[in-house]
Amino acid sequence: MSDNNHLCLLGLIFLSSLLTGVSGVDDDHVFISSGEDVRLPCNNALHDCTSTTWLYNRFSHSEAVELIHLGRKKDTESHERLSLGSDCSLNIRNISTEDSGSYICQQWTGEKRDQQQEPDARVYLHVLHVSSSHTEISAGLSVTLFCQLYSYHRVSCDDSVSSERIDLFWVNQAGVKLRSDSRYQISSSSDHCIISLNTTLLNEDHNREWRCEVTHRDQVKSSVTYTVKSSAQADSTPELSSTEGNA
C-alpha cells in the first residue's frame, strides 16, 4: 500500500472514531421518573458477568464511585437498591433525583482480572421530578408546579440539553401542549432543565390532570402526571403519578 493510501486509511479510521465516540460504543440515554425502577444496559458485556464493573459519576467534576466490582456489589449508600441482571445490566430500585448521572460499564479480563477490555459502555441516567408550591390546595389558590430534569452535567444543564435535543413540556389531559395565556403561565429556567406551570385553581379543576413530558430528539421518553385534589372536596394531598415512555 502506498504512503498516500495508508495515510488516507488512517484518516478514515480517525474520522470514524470521532463520529462514533471515543469509546467506540454509542452512549445510551435512559429517562425515568423519580420513584420508578430502572434497568441500565451494559452494551459491552461478555458471556460472564464476573468480568463486569459498574462506575458512577454524579457530575463531571465528581470522583467516580464503584458500584459493582467484578460482578459483586460494593458497600455503597445505594447498595440495597442495586442488582446485576443476567445480561450484566445494572438494576436500580426506587430511583431518586440523586441517582441521575453517568454510569460506565467496564469489562476486566485476564487471569487476575487486571486487563481492561475496551471499549467502555456509558449510560446517562436522566431523572424527571415534579413538585408543587403547595401541598394543600383549594379553588382560588395560585399554584405553581415545577418540573425538573436531573442529569449529568459536564458544564451546565443547558450544555447537555442543547447537544442531545432534550425538551420539557407541560400538556393537558388531552395531550395538548400548554402555552402561556390568560389561564396558564409557562416558564423555563435559563438552562432549560426546569419548566414551571402557574395557574389559579378553579372549582372545576378538582381531579384535573396536567402532565410534564420529557422528549429526547422529538420522542417522549418519560412523563409525570399531576392530579389536582382540592382540599375543599377531598381530604388528601395532590397526587403524582409517572409514566415511562419508550426508551
Side-chain angles (χ1 to χ4, degrees), residues 43-72:
N43 292 331
N44 64 353
L46 303 178
H47 64 281
D48 186 356
C49 291
T50 57
S51 63
T52 297
T53 290
W54 276 96
L55 304 175
Y56 166 70
N57 274 94
R58 178 68 178 90
F59 300 103
S60 58
H61 58 269
S62 61
E63 184 177 353
V65 177
E66 197 173 48
L67 302 176
I68 304 289
H69 179 72
L70 301 179
R72 294 182 177 272

Short mmCIF file of all heavy atoms in Angstrom, two decimals, residues 43-72:
data_model
loop_
_atom_site.label_atom_id
_atom_site.label_comp_id
_atom_site.label_asym_id
_atom_site.label_seq_id
_atom_site.Cartn_x
_atom_site.Cartn_y
_atom_site.Cartn_z
N ASN A 43 -23.72 -2.48 27.23
CA ASN A 43 -23.60 -2.84 25.81
C ASN A 43 -22.25 -3.43 25.41
O ASN A 43 -22.00 -3.66 24.23
CB ASN A 43 -23.91 -1.62 24.94
CG ASN A 43 -25.36 -1.19 25.03
OD1 ASN A 43 -26.25 -2.02 25.26
ND2 ASN A 43 -25.63 0.09 24.87
N ASN A 44 -21.37 -3.67 26.39
CA ASN A 44 -20.11 -4.32 26.08
C ASN A 44 -19.93 -5.60 26.88
O ASN A 44 -18.81 -6.09 27.05
CB ASN A 44 -18.93 -3.37 26.33
CG ASN A 44 -18.80 -2.99 27.81
OD1 ASN A 44 -19.67 -3.33 28.61
ND2 ASN A 44 -17.73 -2.30 28.17
N ALA A 45 -21.05 -6.14 27.40
CA ALA A 45 -20.99 -7.29 28.30
C ALA A 45 -20.40 -8.52 27.61
O ALA A 45 -20.65 -8.76 26.42
CB ALA A 45 -22.38 -7.61 28.83
N LEU A 46 -19.63 -9.27 28.36
CA LEU A 46 -19.10 -10.55 27.90
C LEU A 46 -20.03 -11.66 28.37
O LEU A 46 -21.08 -11.40 28.95
CB LEU A 46 -17.68 -10.75 28.44
CG LEU A 46 -16.67 -9.64 28.08
CD1 LEU A 46 -15.31 -9.91 28.72
CD2 LEU A 46 -16.53 -9.51 26.57
N HIS A 47 -19.67 -12.90 28.11
CA HIS A 47 -20.56 -14.01 28.46
C HIS A 47 -20.64 -14.22 29.98
O HIS A 47 -21.58 -14.84 30.48
CB HIS A 47 -20.08 -15.29 27.79
CG HIS A 47 -18.73 -15.75 28.27
ND1 HIS A 47 -17.56 -15.18 27.82
CD2 HIS A 47 -18.37 -16.70 29.17
CE1 HIS A 47 -16.53 -15.77 28.40
NE2 HIS A 47 -16.99 -16.69 29.23
N ASP A 48 -19.66 -13.69 30.71
CA ASP A 48 -19.59 -13.92 32.14
C ASP A 48 -19.55 -12.58 32.87
O ASP A 48 -18.63 -11.79 32.69
CB ASP A 48 -18.33 -14.73 32.47
CG ASP A 48 -18.26 -15.13 33.93
OD1 ASP A 48 -19.14 -14.71 34.70
OD2 ASP A 48 -17.32 -15.86 34.29
N CYS A 49 -20.55 -12.31 33.72
CA CYS A 49 -20.64 -11.02 34.40
C CYS A 49 -19.63 -10.86 35.53
O CYS A 49 -19.56 -9.79 36.15
CB CYS A 49 -22.05 -10.80 34.96
SG CYS A 49 -23.31 -10.56 33.68
N THR A 50 -18.84 -11.90 35.80
CA THR A 50 -17.79 -11.76 36.80
C THR A 50 -16.66 -10.87 36.29
O THR A 50 -15.75 -10.53 37.05
CB THR A 50 -17.20 -13.14 37.18
OG1 THR A 50 -16.70 -13.78 36.00
CG2 THR A 50 -18.26 -14.00 37.85
N SER A 51 -16.74 -10.46 35.04
CA SER A 51 -15.76 -9.51 34.49
C SER A 51 -16.29 -8.08 34.50
O SER A 51 -15.59 -7.15 34.10
CB SER A 51 -15.38 -9.91 33.06
OG SER A 51 -16.52 -9.83 32.22
N THR A 52 -17.54 -7.91 34.96
CA THR A 52 -18.23 -6.61 34.84
C THR A 52 -18.03 -5.73 36.07
O THR A 52 -18.21 -6.17 37.20
CB THR A 52 -19.74 -6.83 34.64
OG1 THR A 52 -19.94 -7.53 33.41
CG2 THR A 52 -20.49 -5.50 34.59
N THR A 53 -17.68 -4.48 35.82
CA THR A 53 -17.57 -3.45 36.85
C THR A 53 -18.40 -2.24 36.42
O THR A 53 -18.32 -1.81 35.27
CB THR A 53 -16.11 -3.03 37.06
OG1 THR A 53 -15.39 -4.11 37.68
CG2 THR A 53 -16.00 -1.79 37.96
N TRP A 54 -19.20 -1.72 37.34
CA TRP A 54 -20.02 -0.52 37.09
C TRP A 54 -19.49 0.64 37.92
O TRP A 54 -19.30 0.51 39.13
CB TRP A 54 -21.48 -0.77 37.44
CG TRP A 54 -22.30 -1.43 36.37
CD1 TRP A 54 -22.60 -2.76 36.25
CD2 TRP A 54 -22.96 -0.79 35.27
NE1 TRP A 54 -23.38 -2.98 35.15
CE2 TRP A 54 -23.62 -1.78 34.53
CE3 TRP A 54 -23.05 0.54 34.85
CZ2 TRP A 54 -24.36 -1.51 33.38
CZ3 TRP A 54 -23.78 0.82 33.70
CH2 TRP A 54 -24.43 -0.19 32.98
N LEU A 55 -19.27 1.79 37.25
CA LEU A 55 -18.84 3.02 37.92
C LEU A 55 -19.92 4.09 37.77
O LEU A 55 -20.67 4.09 36.79
CB LEU A 55 -17.54 3.54 37.29
CG LEU A 55 -16.34 2.59 37.28
CD1 LEU A 55 -15.18 3.23 36.53
CD2 LEU A 55 -15.92 2.22 38.69
N TYR A 56 -19.97 5.00 38.74
CA TYR A 56 -20.98 6.06 38.72
C TYR A 56 -20.34 7.42 39.00
O TYR A 56 -19.50 7.56 39.88
CB TYR A 56 -22.05 5.77 39.78
CG TYR A 56 -22.96 6.94 40.09
CD1 TYR A 56 -23.89 7.38 39.14
CD2 TYR A 56 -22.90 7.60 41.31
CE1 TYR A 56 -24.73 8.46 39.42
CE2 TYR A 56 -23.74 8.67 41.59
CZ TYR A 56 -24.65 9.10 40.64
OH TYR A 56 -25.47 10.15 40.91
N ASN A 57 -20.77 8.43 38.20
CA ASN A 57 -20.38 9.82 38.41
C ASN A 57 -21.63 10.68 38.46
O ASN A 57 -22.42 10.67 37.51
CB ASN A 57 -19.48 10.34 37.29
CG ASN A 57 -18.02 10.03 37.53
OD1 ASN A 57 -17.52 9.02 37.05
ND2 ASN A 57 -17.34 10.90 38.26
N ARG A 58 -21.83 11.43 39.54
CA ARG A 58 -22.96 12.35 39.63
C ARG A 58 -22.75 13.57 38.74
O ARG A 58 -23.64 14.02 38.04
CB ARG A 58 -23.17 12.78 41.09
CG ARG A 58 -24.30 13.77 41.30
CD ARG A 58 -25.66 13.14 41.03
NE ARG A 58 -26.73 14.08 41.28
CZ ARG A 58 -27.23 14.91 40.35
NH1 ARG A 58 -26.74 14.88 39.12
NH2 ARG A 58 -28.22 15.73 40.63
N PHE A 59 -21.55 14.14 38.81
CA PHE A 59 -21.18 15.29 38.00
C PHE A 59 -19.84 15.02 37.32
O PHE A 59 -19.09 14.13 37.73
CB PHE A 59 -21.07 16.56 38.85
CG PHE A 59 -22.34 16.94 39.57
CD1 PHE A 59 -22.49 16.70 40.92
CD2 PHE A 59 -23.38 17.54 38.88
CE1 PHE A 59 -23.66 17.05 41.59
CE2 PHE A 59 -24.57 17.89 39.53
CZ PHE A 59 -24.70 17.64 40.88
N SER A 60 -19.54 15.82 36.30
CA SER A 60 -18.29 15.63 35.57
C SER A 60 -17.07 15.85 36.44
O SER A 60 -16.01 15.25 36.22
CB SER A 60 -18.25 16.58 34.37
OG SER A 60 -18.38 17.92 34.79
N HIS A 61 -17.19 16.70 37.46
CA HIS A 61 -16.05 17.01 38.32
C HIS A 61 -16.00 16.14 39.58
O HIS A 61 -15.10 16.27 40.39
CB HIS A 61 -16.09 18.49 38.74
CG HIS A 61 -17.35 18.87 39.45
ND1 HIS A 61 -18.46 19.35 38.78
CD2 HIS A 61 -17.70 18.82 40.76
CE1 HIS A 61 -19.42 19.60 39.66
NE2 HIS A 61 -18.99 19.28 40.86
N SER A 62 -16.98 15.25 39.75
CA SER A 62 -17.01 14.42 40.95
C SER A 62 -16.20 13.14 40.74
O SER A 62 -15.97 12.69 39.61
CB SER A 62 -18.45 14.06 41.33
OG SER A 62 -19.07 13.33 40.29
N GLU A 63 -15.78 12.55 41.85
CA GLU A 63 -14.99 11.33 41.79
C GLU A 63 -15.89 10.13 41.50
O GLU A 63 -17.00 10.03 42.02
CB GLU A 63 -14.26 11.12 43.12
CG GLU A 63 -13.33 9.92 43.14
CD GLU A 63 -12.58 9.79 44.45
OE1 GLU A 63 -12.70 10.71 45.28
OE2 GLU A 63 -11.90 8.77 44.64
N ALA A 64 -15.42 9.23 40.65
CA ALA A 64 -16.21 8.06 40.29
C ALA A 64 -16.36 7.12 41.49
O ALA A 64 -15.43 6.92 42.26
CB ALA A 64 -15.56 7.31 39.12
N VAL A 65 -17.56 6.56 41.63
CA VAL A 65 -17.85 5.61 42.70
C VAL A 65 -18.05 4.23 42.08
O VAL A 65 -18.78 4.08 41.10
CB VAL A 65 -19.12 6.02 43.49
CG1 VAL A 65 -19.46 4.97 44.55
CG2 VAL A 65 -18.93 7.39 44.12
N GLU A 66 -17.40 3.23 42.62
CA GLU A 66 -17.54 1.87 42.12
C GLU A 66 -18.76 1.22 42.77
O GLU A 66 -18.81 1.06 43.99
CB GLU A 66 -16.28 1.06 42.42
CG GLU A 66 -16.17 -0.21 41.60
CD GLU A 66 -14.83 -0.90 41.80
OE1 GLU A 66 -14.43 -1.07 42.97
OE2 GLU A 66 -14.20 -1.28 40.80
N LEU A 67 -19.75 0.88 41.95
CA LEU A 67 -20.98 0.27 42.45
C LEU A 67 -20.92 -1.26 42.41
O LEU A 67 -21.37 -1.94 43.33
CB LEU A 67 -22.18 0.75 41.64
CG LEU A 67 -22.43 2.26 41.60
CD1 LEU A 67 -23.60 2.57 40.67
CD2 LEU A 67 -22.68 2.81 42.99
N ILE A 68 -20.40 -1.77 41.31
CA ILE A 68 -20.25 -3.21 41.10
C ILE A 68 -18.79 -3.48 40.76
O ILE A 68 -18.22 -2.83 39.87
CB ILE A 68 -21.14 -3.72 39.95
CG1 ILE A 68 -22.61 -3.38 40.19
CG2 ILE A 68 -20.94 -5.23 39.75
CD1 ILE A 68 -23.28 -4.15 41.29
N HIS A 69 -18.17 -4.43 41.45
CA HIS A 69 -16.78 -4.79 41.17
C HIS A 69 -16.71 -6.25 40.79
O HIS A 69 -16.98 -7.14 41.61
CB HIS A 69 -15.89 -4.52 42.38
CG HIS A 69 -14.45 -4.89 42.16
ND1 HIS A 69 -13.60 -4.17 41.35
CD2 HIS A 69 -13.72 -5.94 42.64
CE1 HIS A 69 -12.41 -4.73 41.34
NE2 HIS A 69 -12.45 -5.82 42.11
N LEU A 70 -16.41 -6.50 39.52
CA LEU A 70 -16.28 -7.87 39.00
C LEU A 70 -17.48 -8.73 39.39
O LEU A 70 -17.36 -9.84 39.89
CB LEU A 70 -14.98 -8.51 39.50
CG LEU A 70 -13.69 -7.76 39.11
CD1 LEU A 70 -12.46 -8.47 39.66
CD2 LEU A 70 -13.58 -7.63 37.58
N GLY A 71 -18.68 -8.15 39.15
CA GLY A 71 -19.92 -8.90 39.34
C GLY A 71 -20.47 -8.87 40.75
O GLY A 71 -21.55 -9.43 41.00
N ARG A 72 -19.78 -8.22 41.69
CA ARG A 72 -20.24 -8.18 43.08
C ARG A 72 -20.52 -6.74 43.50
O ARG A 72 -19.77 -5.83 43.17
CB ARG A 72 -19.19 -8.79 44.01
CG ARG A 72 -18.98 -10.29 43.78
CD ARG A 72 -17.95 -10.83 44.77
NE ARG A 72 -17.78 -12.27 44.61
CZ ARG A 72 -18.51 -13.20 45.22
NH1 ARG A 72 -19.47 -12.81 46.05
NH2 ARG A 72 -18.29 -14.48 45.03
#
